[in-house]
Amino acid sequence: MSIRAENLVWRIGKKTIIDGVSLEVKPGLMLGLLGPNGSGKTSLLRLLAGLKRPQAGRITLDGQDLKGIDRRQIARRVAFVEQHATTNASLKVVDVVKLGRFPHRSMFSGWTLADDAAVAEALERAGMTQKRNDPWQSLSGGERQRTHIARALAQAPQELILDEPTNHLDIQHQISLMRLISSLSITSIIALHDLNHAAMFCDQLIIMQEGRVVTVGTPEEVMTEDLLKTVFRVDGRIEASPYHARPHIHFMR
């Protein structure tokens, strides 16, 4: 197993945001997290990344309780790409990616050839090698997202958690980014709004509503017309895509 959550509960004051959520992510697979706004997706991702602690339930990495793992150790294992990640505008692309090496270095250790190699590989995998010396403010939205993913990859994670990374990107960059993430040979958990992107790229889906898990399964199992209507409040027809083996949703006017 990779990441496992058991009966998670997380509240803000008296309001329950995550209510009894359990899940398991198998190594090497891409898990899509879907649900309407306010369903608890971002909060769940932050719990899984160890950035927040649940009031009840537990999260384990390969059977070890996350509460018993040092924060630096978690950062060596799990990388989190936030939806609205901020970066100092004066930095170059390569400097942003170098930040991903901090969990692997002690306070007094110098920069090493291994760090250089990890950064170069991360830039290559994210398709940003040619932009390595470009200033941050000169990048497009898609390039900035790829840079954040490169920084996460420089951590050498076994699990990659992403919160709606395609938001505010044009369709070309959305598809390009999803292809990049799905090509990575690591476990990934990704919150998405686009149901067709989730069906096309994810191995497994979890549908959330009001802090609870509605259903779990493959895109073929999960995507139903009844689910579209009851959870997402839209009418749609599930069709076989002419371009890939996954289901495609045709939304009705």
Side-chain angles (χ1 to χ4, degrees):
M1 72 184 72
S2 181
I3 296 180
R4 183 171 184 170
E6 301 172 2
N7 301 312
L8 297 182
V9 175
W10 187 69
R11 304 181 185 92
I12 298 178
K14 295 182 178 179
K15 182 176 176 59
T16 299
I17 308 299
I18 300 297
D19 190 4
V21 168
S22 296
L23 61 87
E24 183 176 339
V25 190
K26 296 180 180 178
L29 295 187
M30 184 173 176
L31 172 69
L33 195 60
L34 300 172
N37 286 339
S39 59
K41 300 187 298 296
T42 294
S43 296
L44 178 58
L45 292 182
R46 295 182 72 82
L47 289 171
L48 295 176
L51 301 178
K52 296 183 182 294
R53 288 194 174 183
Q55 278 95 4
R58 71 174 191 150
I59 302 162
T60 59
L61 281 174
D62 291 338
Q64 186 177 358
D65 196 315
L66 207 63
K67 290 190 295 185
I69 306 176
D70 177 79
R71 180 63 216 155
R72 180 179 286 266
Q73 287 181 284
I74 295 173
R76 291 172 184 161
R77 168 77 186 257
V78 180
F80 182 42
V81 179
E82 299 186 73
Q83 184 179 160
H84 301 295
T86 57
T87 295
N88 188 320
S90 66
L91 294 179
K92 294 180 180 180
V93 167
V94 66
D95 297 322
V96 175
V97 179
K98 283 181 177 181
L99 297 175
R101 297 303 299 164
F102 282 4
H104 297 274
R105 303 171 63 235
S106 70
M107 185 180 299
F108 302 106
S109 65
W111 191 260
T112 68
L113 291 176
D115 293 321
D116 274 332
V119 168
E121 181 181 0
L123 285 164
E124 179 67 27
R125 292 171 78 184
M128 291 298 292
T129 299
Q130 300 302 316
K131 297 280 185 176
R132 63 176 290 133
N133 291 315
D134 286 14
W136 174 258
Q137 62 265 35
S138 72
L139 301 180
S140 68
E143 290 167 344
R144 291 185 179 190
Q145 287 291 56
R146 283 179 173 270
T147 302
H148 282 306
I149 290 174
R151 180 175 65 179
L153 293 178
Q155 290 178 227
Q158 294 181 48
E159 289 84 18
L160 179 62
I161 298 176
L162 307 104
D163 188 11
E164 298 185 8
T166 59
N167 264 15
H168 312 302
L169 301 184
D170 59 40
I171 186 64
Q172 174 192 357
H173 288 112
Q174 289 178 27
I175 296 295
S176 176
L177 199 63
M178 291 300 295
R179 284 176 176 158
L180 165 63
I181 297 165
S182 65
S183 71
L184 301 173
S185 56
I186 58 177
T187 306
S188 56
I189 306 171
I190 178 170
L192 292 167
H193 266 308
D194 193 300
L195 303 183
N196 278 316
H197 287 174
M200 186 187 309
F201 291 102
C202 296
D203 300 299
Q204 192 174 34
L205 301 176
I206 289 180
I207 310 299
M208 293 186 67
Q209 187 175 31
E210 297 179 348
R212 301 183 182 93
V213 172
V214 175
T215 186
V216 181
T218 65
E220 293 81 3
E221 294 167 339
V222 166
M223 291 298 187
T224 66
E225 294 174 10
D226 182 60
L227 179 106
L228 296 177
K229 185 171 293 187
T230 58
V231 175
F232 296 98
R233 302 290 191 263
V234 295
D235 291 318
R237 186 171 67 248
I238 308 296
E239 304 172 334
S241 171
Y243 306 107
H244 51 79
R246 303 294 184 86
H248 178 79
I249 303 167
H250 176 74
F251 293 102
M252 313 297 286
R253 288 188 176 183

